[in-house]
Each structure stands twice: as C-alpha cells, then as structure tokens.
Amino acid sequence: MSLSPVQQLFQEAFDLPEEDRESFIDEATDDESLRSRVRSLLASARRSPGFLGSPTLDSQGNAVPDLQLCVLGPGSRIGPYEILRKLGSGGGGIVFLARQEQPLRREVSLKIMRSSLDDDEPRWRFEIERKAIERMEHPGIARVLDAGLTDDDRPWIAMEYISGEPITTWCDAHRLSLEDRGALMASVCDAVHHAHQKGVLHRDLKPSNVLVMRTSDGSPRPCLIDFGIARLSDTGADASQTRPGRLPGTPAYMSPEQIEGRTDALDARSDIFSLGVILYELLVGASPFRDPNSVSREVTLPGRSTRLSSAEAVADLAKQRGQTSQAWRREIRGDLALIALKCLRIDPQERYASADALGADLRAFVAHLPVTAHRPTLRYLASRMIRRHPVASLSAASVMFLLVLCSLAILHAQRQAVIQRELARAERARSEDLFTGFARLIVAGDPEHGRPRDYPLGQAVIDFARHLPGELTRDPRTEARARHTLAHALQGMGESAQARQQFAASLALLDRLPPSESADLLPTVLFGNAISIAQTQPDLASRQLIRAEELLRATKDPDDAYMRIRVLCQLSVLAHDKGDFAQAGSMAANALSSAEKLKSADPDLVARCLWTLARVERSMGRVPEARALQERRAGLLASKYGDDSPLTWDARAELASLDVTGPDPDLHLATLRGLSQKTEEHFGPNHYQALARWIDYARALASVGRREASIEIYRGTFLKAEDPSFTDAGSLAKWREEYERLLVEP
Amino acid sequence: MDAPAAELTRLFQEMDAGSESARESMLAAVYGQLRNIAAVRMADEAPGRTLQATELVHEAWLRLGGPQGGGAGWNNRRHFFSAAATAMRRILIEHARQRASLKRGSGHEALTIESVLDLSDAPASDRILALDAALAGLEHEAPEAHQVVMLRFFTGLSVAECASALDSSERTVMRHWAFAKAWLAHHLENE
C-alpha cells in the first residue's frame, strides 16, 4: 500500500538530522499546504517525544523502550567501515567519509540511502543493480567497493573516495580555456559511454558528481561518482518518482523525461541531456534554463544569458576561461554552444545518440574540425514554433513565408557577386566533410571508443554504411561520393546486396542534382551501379553503361578515357552474355584499341580488354585467337604482379581452360585444380573468386567428358555458396543452370 | 479440544476466508471477555491500581481458548489481536464517556496506556475521547499507521510482534509508529 503524500514526506524528513529537515522539505515539493502540514507534524513530534509512551511492558510490568531509529554519525559502524565525518547529504541519502581497517586500511566514501527497501520491494532488485554497478571498470568512474543493507534495511554503498573538485569549480579556478574544457568533457563522455555499454545509467549527472583532480603528471583527470546510485535508491522509493508535484532532489540537471517521472523511458540520452547542462555551464557560466529549479526546460540561447548583461560579469567569466571578453562572446555562439544545444533538445531523438558520439564531437571541436551539431534549420525552428504556439503560428507562418521570399530575392542579387567565392568555400567544406566523415570510420575501430578490440574492419564498414555520420549526409554530392566509395568497399568484401543498395542510393542522389554538379561523378557511379546489377537486371545495366559511355566520350580528360574503356568492356560482357557476340566483339575491340592508344598504357586496363575480347573469340569458337589474347594477358599480368598473384592465377586458369580440350588434358586439369585451391586459400572458401575458380574447373572437367567428377565439384561449390556470406545470387543461378544442363545431358 | 477452543478455531477459519460475520463474532467474544476481566479486576483491586493492556488481552486470549484454538499460527493471532485492539478501544471509550470529565490535559503530556486504563479514576477520560476522534482521522489519512497504533497502544504488542503480526519489518513499524504519534499529538494539541 502506498503512503499518503503527508506521511511519505514526514517520514523522509523525520529520518534526517533536525537541522536538515527544513531545507529537505523546501526542496522536496512546491505544494505549500503539504509543506506546512508536514512542518506542523514534525513540530508536534519534537514537542511531545514521549507521547503515547512505550506501550510494551515486560513480565514485571515495566515499560520496554522502543528500539531507536538508527541515527548515524561519527563512530557508527556500517559493515567493515567506521564513519569518520559527514561529507554531505543529497536527494538520495547521506554521504560520510569512512575508514576501513581490514583487509586494507583506506578511506572510502560511504553513502547511506535515506529510505529503506520497503517490504514490497524485492531485495533481488537491489542485488541486480548492485552487480551492474560493480561491473563498471573505468579510470573515470569511482569504483564501487562494497554495498549492503544496514540493520534497518537501508541500502549503503562504499565507493572509492575521490578528493576532487566539481568540474565547473575546477575549470573556473584553473582558468581552463574552452578547448581544455571540451577535452575534459570528452574524457567524461568516455567514462559515461563505458557505463552505458555496461547497461548502467548515471541518472544524476551534475557538477558535484563530476569531480576533477590532478594526476601525478599534473594533468586534470575527471572522475564520476555516484554512478548508478540514483537507481539503487529508487529501489526503496519508486513511488516518490511518480507522485506529481514531488521531485527526488533538485531538477537543475534533469532531462525533461526525468522530470516528468517517465522512469521507464530513460536511456543514455537522458544522461546526455545532463551532460549538456554541465557543458553549457562550463561554456557560459550559468544554467541554460531560465529557472533551473522549475520543471520547465526552456533553454536560453548562450548569447542571451542574463549573466551577460553586465560588462563586468562578462569580463570575469571570460577571464575564468583565459580569454578576452570579445573572443569569448564570439565563442559562446560557436561550435561548443551548438554541441551543448544538441544535448539539450527536448526530444531525445534529436540529441546525440550516445556519449561516444558526443565525445567525438567534443574532440572534433578541440581539433578545430567540423562538428556534427549544427544550427537548427529553418524547418526545425518552424516546427518548434508551431509546436509551442499552435494558433499564433498561423499568422507567424505567413510572416515567415514573406521573410523567406525577401531573403530569396536578396540572396539572388548577391549570388552573382559571391558565386565564385561561395563555390570554392563549398568545395572546401565538402572535402573537409568527406575527410572527417571517413576519419570517423577509422576511429570507430579504436577500442578507446568502446568497441571491442576485435571489431573487424569489415563490420566497421557495414555499420558505417548503415549509419552514415552527419558530415557525410549534409550535402547530397558528398553523400553520393561517400556511398559510392562504400559501395566499392562492400563489393570488394563480397557484400553484393549491400553494395547494390549503396550504388543505387548514390545514383539516386546524383540524379536529383543539376547536371553541372553531377556530371563528373555520374559516369563512375553509373558504372559501379551497372556492375552491381549486371546479373540481376542486365538490360538496365546496359542502359546505364551506354549513358555513362556517352557522358565520357564528350570529355577529353585522360581519367575519363580510362573509365570509358572499362565501360566498353563491361558493355561487351553484357552483350556477350545476351548472346550478341558481334556487338560484344566490336565493343571489346574498340576498348582494346582505345587502351593501346592511351599515352601511359596501363597493363591492368589492357589485360582487361584482352580478357573481354578473348572471351568473345572463344564463344565464337575461335580458340587460337582466344588463346593468343589470353597468352598476352598472362604475360602482362605476370610482369606487373609476378607469377603468384590472384590476377595471374586467373589468366593461367583461362589458358588452361582453353588448352584442356587439346592434348594432355590431365596436366591442364591439375593446373586448374591447383589454381582453385590457391584462390580459395587466398580469398577464403566462400568468396566469389574462389567459387568461380572451382566452377571453371568443373566446366573444364565436363568439357573433356569427366561428367561425374564435374558434378561432384559443382555440388561441393554449391555447398560453399550456401554460406550466408556469399550473396551473389545471380552467378549462383547461372552455375546451377549449367549444372542442371550437365545432369540431363546424355 | 474444549468448546471455546473449537469455536475459536472455526472463527479463525472463517476469518481466513474473509467472513465479515466471523469477524463480528470474534470481536463480540473478545469484547465480552475483556469486559468481564476488567469488571472482576476492578472489584478485586484497590483503587489506584491500574490495569495493564497486555495483561488484560493475554487473559482474554487464554479464556477464549487461544492456546488450543489455533494460537500457534501468527495469522490467527493477527485476527485475534486486531479484534482485541478494537474491543479494547471500545471499552475505553465507553468507560471514558461514562466518566467524562471537564479536566483537560494537553498534547504535551505523555498519554500512556496506563493512565488511560486507570479505571478507578478518570484523569484522562476526556483525552481518550479526543484520542478516539484523532484515531478516526488517522485511519483515513494513513490506514497502516492507524493499525500499528491499534495493535501497539491497545494490546501492548512490541515492535517486533507488531511487525510480525502485520507481516512487515520492524523499521516500517517504527516509522508508522513515529508518524502516528506525531499525527495524534498534533491533533490532540489542536483539538
């Protein structure tokens, strides 16, 4: 049964030392009638301590004194600890400095919760929370040493004693620059992220829980205390979280969802909100909220803080940050402010998704790289306006429409003058974005960022492609380039399906841009996309290649000429697979002569043309021509890569396939078999290259009439293709078709 | 098993099943016993001698056949003590009404069960009536705290026994007791 508000508040206050009761009641509720009722009850209890006496009598008829509610103070013992002095008291309980004698002598900080685990609160919940907290192991988190229950069932927790200063006090006292403050907060984020990964939320992040001390080398080290402790004290006082009009402790650093008491909805992003409040204070020197102790989370923009109204105050605050007033005034509208504001969004979805992401942005700020937090867009601001003032916005919307029209007109006039400068700046911004965006991919594998040490690069690329960072999606052209690059990487990893998605997404982005902005990227992306869909949609692939070839023919760029030759080869392959050998032959011949004409003939490119043409010749039954071409190709590749490389193996396999129908088939079959094994060892048994090489071997076996052996190789290859990592369904279907034809052949 | 014990056992079983009439019968039985005991004591004892709640209730328990009638189980004892507390309160109120005095005490003085049970005189009669009114208010505000007062004040259960009877912890009982005392003192002061 839950207690009435009067009884609940009375009991919590009654457990406190008398001098703390008044302030506790003031903080606990803003219901004045509740406060005055509880105050008068406490006064009555104080005036009549013996009222109702001790009703229990012993066998002689003497009153038996009631057991006293445990009053803790210096000298009291809790578990193996002896209390030395009180360090402070907060929402959940009282903190003491305590000493342990055995097994080692040390001082600890001992927190004793105010409320007991009540009868309907299962202890296992306390145990589960306690175990989660004890799993955390991070230099930035004060270790929980021990925990238990007092004689009267109040939870206590012994923590490493950190003799640091609250982060805000420390930064101001040491006049830390904004960069140093950002770096310090990034370390805090590392610790918070570690805990989040262990499934522990802090729930009560505030400067007095983020302590800073100097390490032996003099650098500041932040250390979080009370991690997860708020949850432990919840176990005894869940009801108080949900009762309207009452808050457990001060709301100054709480997220809106916490203030609303939606304890079930809390996740990492609630801690991120609290980090945002601290970050804002480190930047501006004041709370982001107009009234920190109210339930409103309306944020004052950093430049508008009332603390900035007096020049003296500004000078003082700037000095604490090692800056001149002017420089600091500029900074508080800069990237660090944007980062803090992103943490302080009302909707958790709009905040950083993890402490790791916040830390990465803080480090980007420290390194003067672009941050992902950016100014709220017009649409965002408009949506916020409309949410807050649904009726007034009707007219506000029309005013805004006019404003936008005016700005567009002005912009157009200015555009011609600044267009060159703008373009240069835009291009620079894009390359910076690309660089920073991909830098995140490299950083992602760093165990310091919370990923396991064996986080494979392949998985990193896949994860990265799924959730591109903000830098890469801000501008469609940048995003198209990024997705195209990823598509190639995924293709190389054998993740064909995912590569196809990325190619298609990249192409769709480019098709929405004006031709002047997409022309240089379009052929490459069309080509990549065509390759990825060649098996599944050959006609569409052909059309895309023809489009690419037309774009490329128009330019004089040597890179484009190179690209065009590859496009021609691919077109030849598609025509060949459709059975149009004449078309395929002319495309391939065109490609080869163009490749030979290039100033710096690239052996890879020529080899590719040779392969393409040889394939057509062979299909047309002109084996000697095909053989000559393959021989030339093998020579080119061997001179570039040596005899022992996958490309050379491929050329040798092609030659062996041609020769197998001639004299001494066993020799060539053995060659093919050996090359298949080599390729398998090199790429892994389920890689497309390895499987394709085995299929070559199976085909060669079939072509010399060794049907049973061929069938066996086909079957073995299909088994390997069942592995989920093999995703080239098109090739597999083709192979199965050959295999079934072989089965029904007489 | 003799007759009262068999009757008690039946009442306990029916109370377990939630029977309201069994509860009433139990209350009537306890009430009757307590009255008888008090009357006999008053006739026997010299004026000035106070009765003890624990003693009264214990004797009623024995006379009703408690030890044979399911006295071992705490659930049964809880039924019994709950009835005994109500009966005791009723007896005291009746007594206080008969001898209502104009003398008024104040909430600052200790109001002990001994002074209330001093049946020979009535120094606290008016205060027991005020206490009764305050108890009604407490029952409305904090039913659990009210129950703790009933068991402790009117039947003299210790904190441990009370915790056991209410299937609660000693600390919880102590906190209810502290709240109840503050509440009652406050209401008697302002009565």
Side-chain angles (χ1 to χ4, degrees), chain A residues 245-557:
Chain A
R246 240 182 75 60
L247 293 164
T250 162
Y253 297 88
M254 279 186 196
S255 67
E257 58 269 31
Q258 232 172 337
I259 287 183
E260 284 167 27
R262 292 185 282 131
T263 31
D264 292 344
L266 296 193
D267 60 18
R269 294 170 300 187
S270 175
D271 276 352
I272 287 184
F273 187 94
S274 306
L275 287 173
V277 183
I278 301 175
L279 186 62
Y280 187 105
E281 291 192 1
L282 287 174
L283 173 67
V284 182
S287 167
F289 310 119
R290 231 152 269 168
D291 179 4
N293 289 316
S294 80
V295 295
S296 160
R297 294 289 89 162
E298 204 175 320
V299 172
T300 312
L301 287 175
R304 309 245 172 85
S305 175
T306 47
R307 287 206 63 184
L308 306 179
S309 47
S310 102
E312 273 165 57
V314 170
D316 278 352
L317 288 165
K319 206 163 136 195
Q320 284 169 344
R321 286 152 182 81
Q323 269 176 331
T324 64
S325 301
Q326 271 175 326
W328 179 57
R329 268 187 183 281
R330 212 167 33 243
E331 287 259 36
I332 57 177
R333 290 182 175 80
D335 280 354
L336 200 56
L338 294 179
I339 295 174
L341 290 175
K342 184 165 176 176
C343 299
L344 291 171
R345 298 276 163 84
I346 298 295
D347 182 355
Q349 298 232 358
E350 292 172 357
R351 298 177 207 149
Y352 289 95
S354 68
D356 188 34
L358 169 57
D361 239 11
L362 286 168
R363 291 199 166 91
F365 164 77
V366 173
H368 300 287
L369 290 170
V371 299
T372 63
H374 45 83
R375 281 180 201 290
T377 61
L378 194 62
R379 190 151 49 123
Y380 171 76
L381 288 175
S383 75
R384 288 295 295 266
M385 291 275 292
I386 289 162
R387 218 179 302 156
R388 272 172 43 198
H389 312 286
V391 179
S393 300
L394 249 112
S395 53
S398 41
V399 171
M400 195 172 284
F401 180 67
L402 270 177
L403 275 174
V404 170
L405 278 186
C406 294
S407 338
L408 284 178
I410 296 166
L411 268 179
H412 184 75
Q414 287 184 346
R415 202 179 169 89
Q416 295 310 315
V418 294
I419 201 155
Q420 288 309 317
R421 208 175 60 216
E422 283 289 314
L423 275 177
R425 194 183 301 158
E427 197 46 50
R428 208 183 66 211
R430 280 172 183 156
S431 20
E432 268 179 17
D433 272 0
L434 256 181
F435 170 76
T436 334
F438 276 104
R440 288 183 192 284
L441 174 59
I442 297 158
V443 172
D446 185 341
E448 274 200 2
H449 286 73
R451 291 262 164 56
R453 220 163 259 286
D454 54 356
Y455 186 55
L457 183 60
Q459 190 56 44
V461 172
I462 290 170
D463 291 346
F464 188 78
R466 273 195 199 126
H467 309 282
L468 278 191
E471 287 92 353
L472 298 179
T473 54
R474 217 178 291 172
D475 165 63
R477 202 181 129 91
T478 308
E479 186 178 346
R481 275 167 77 185
R483 292 201 183 276
H484 180 240
T485 310
L486 285 166
H488 274 295
L490 289 164
Q491 186 94 320
M493 284 157 53
E495 297 286 342
S496 312
Q498 298 209 35
R500 259 199 307 281
Q501 280 176 16
Q502 295 296 333
F503 274 126
S506 175
L507 190 56
L509 284 163
L510 286 178
D511 275 339
R512 282 200 293 271
L513 286 176
S516 60
E517 280 193 56
S518 65
D520 55 337
L521 291 176
L522 204 45
T524 343
V525 177
L526 279 167
F527 179 69
N529 194 43
I531 303 267
S532 74
I533 61 169
Q535 304 273 1
T536 49
Q537 296 162 277
D539 292 329
L540 179 59
S542 294
R543 283 202 298 279
Q544 291 185 344
L545 288 169
I546 288 166
R547 198 177 147 204
E549 202 268 337
E550 280 163 1
L551 286 165
L552 291 165
R553 209 187 315 159
T555 72
K556 296 270 176 285
D557 192 305

Side-chain angles (χ1 to χ4, degrees), chain B residues 41-188:
Chain B
R41 287 291 168 88
M42 278 182 63
D44 286 357
E45 302 288 343
R49 166 78 156 87
T50 58
L51 296 175
Q52 289 179 9
T54 329
E55 215 176 299
L56 276 173
V57 172
H58 184 68
E59 194 160 339
W61 175 240
L62 288 177
R63 288 199 192 181
L64 283 168
Q68 294 86 41
W74 254 116
N75 209 27
N76 293 344
R77 294 191 59 150
R78 174 157 59 235
H79 290 321
F80 171 79
F81 279 112
S82 163
T86 311
M88 196 67 137
R89 178 172 164 193
R90 201 178 278 181
I91 290 168
L92 289 171
I93 301 308
E94 282 163 1
H95 185 78
R97 287 219 176 99
Q98 283 169 10
R99 306 178 167 222
S101 152
L102 291 174
K103 268 167 77 185
R104 280 175 181 269
S106 85
H108 292 244
E109 289 167 26
L111 180 68
T112 61
I113 191 79
E114 291 88 345
S115 69
V116 170
L117 277 170
D118 185 352
L119 301 182
S120 58
D121 196 5
S125 294
D126 53 339
R127 295 189 61 209
I128 192 73
L129 291 178
L131 179 68
D132 186 54
L135 272 170
L138 177 64
E139 183 170 16
H140 184 71
E141 171 72 32
E144 290 164 305
H146 170 262
Q147 216 175 356
V148 168
V149 176
M150 292 294 286
L151 288 177
R152 296 217 61 203
F153 192 73
F154 292 110
T155 72
L157 290 195
S158 73
V159 175
E161 287 168 327
C162 194
S164 182
L166 293 174
D167 202 12
S168 178
S169 72
E170 291 185 27
R171 178 175 164 80
T172 305
V173 167
M174 275 313 291
R175 299 180 102 207
H176 282 308
W177 178 241
F179 176 72
K181 288 205 297 185
W183 170 279
L184 295 171
H186 176 71
H187 282 256
L188 290 179

Side-chain angles (χ1 to χ4, degrees), chain A residues 114-150:
Chain A
R114 183 157 294 142
S115 42
S116 60
L117 298 183
D118 276 330
D119 310 301
D120 44 347
E121 267 313 323
R123 288 192 186 183
W124 57 261
R125 208 178 123 190
F126 173 74
E127 283 302 315
I128 286 176
E129 297 293 343
R130 173 191 153 174
K131 292 226 168 70
I133 291 171
E134 284 174 353
R135 268 204 306 276
M136 294 186 301
E137 193 70 55
H138 194 279
I141 298 176
R143 263 183 319 132
V144 168
L145 304 167
D146 203 356
L149 297 173
T150 61

Side-chain angles (χ1 to χ4, degrees), chain B residues 10-46:
Chain B
R10 187 184 61 81
L11 285 178
F12 282 148
Q13 282 164 356
E14 286 177 20
M15 284 172 87
D16 276 341
S19 161
E20 204 50 50
S21 69
R23 193 178 307 282
E24 287 299 316
S25 306
M26 172 67 79
L27 183 57
V30 179
Y31 175 73
Q33 285 295 347
L34 286 171
R35 272 197 71 107
N36 289 341
I37 302 162
V40 170
R41 287 291 168 88
M42 278 182 63
D44 286 357
E45 302 288 343

